[in-house]
Structure formats: structure tokens, C-alpha cells
Amino acid sequence: MSRPTVKFFDVETNEELIREMNDEEYAVHLTVVQKAAENKAKFEQAQEAKAAAEAKLAALGLTTEDLQALGL
């Protein structure tokens, strides 16, 4: 599998350099991609928990606004 590329632009010479990531850049890239996937999974879990909580409230005939009115 080829690595992602990085692009550099030299404003003095107006030259553009495109090359594959070196080992250090690629390691950082993989770390960032992994962290993004973890964050996405946490966000999706939170969204599912929120939807489940709102469904339970609705089953009781309540809304999130009702809870806010009670100071919860």
C-alpha cells in the first residue's frame, strides 16, 4: 500500500513538491486517523445514548424541556 502524499510549495521559487510521507510523518498520520476513529465512535455512542434517553422520556410523556424546567 502506498503512503499518503504531502505537498510543499516554495513561494520564493514558485515550485511545488509532492512526495510520499516519510516514516515520522506517516506515524503521526496513523495516530491522527486512529484518534479520529475513536472520537467518532465515542460521538456515535453518545448520540445513541441520548436518543435512548429521549425515547424513555417520551414513553413517560416527558421532554428534555420538562427536565430543564425542573432544573435537571
Side-chain angles (χ1 to χ4, degrees), residues 27-46:
V28 170
H29 168 74
L30 291 176
T31 300
V32 169
V33 167
Q34 179 182 2
K35 190 66 172 174
E38 291 170 2
N39 288 340
K40 181 180 178 187
K42 287 178 186 177
F43 176 78
E44 289 172 349
Q45 287 174 345

Side-chain angles (χ1 to χ4, degrees), residues 40-60:
K40 181 180 178 187
K42 287 178 186 177
F43 176 78
E44 289 172 349
Q45 287 174 345
Q47 292 297 96
E48 290 172 5
K50 181 180 177 183
E54 289 175 344
K56 288 177 184 178
L57 287 173
L60 296 172

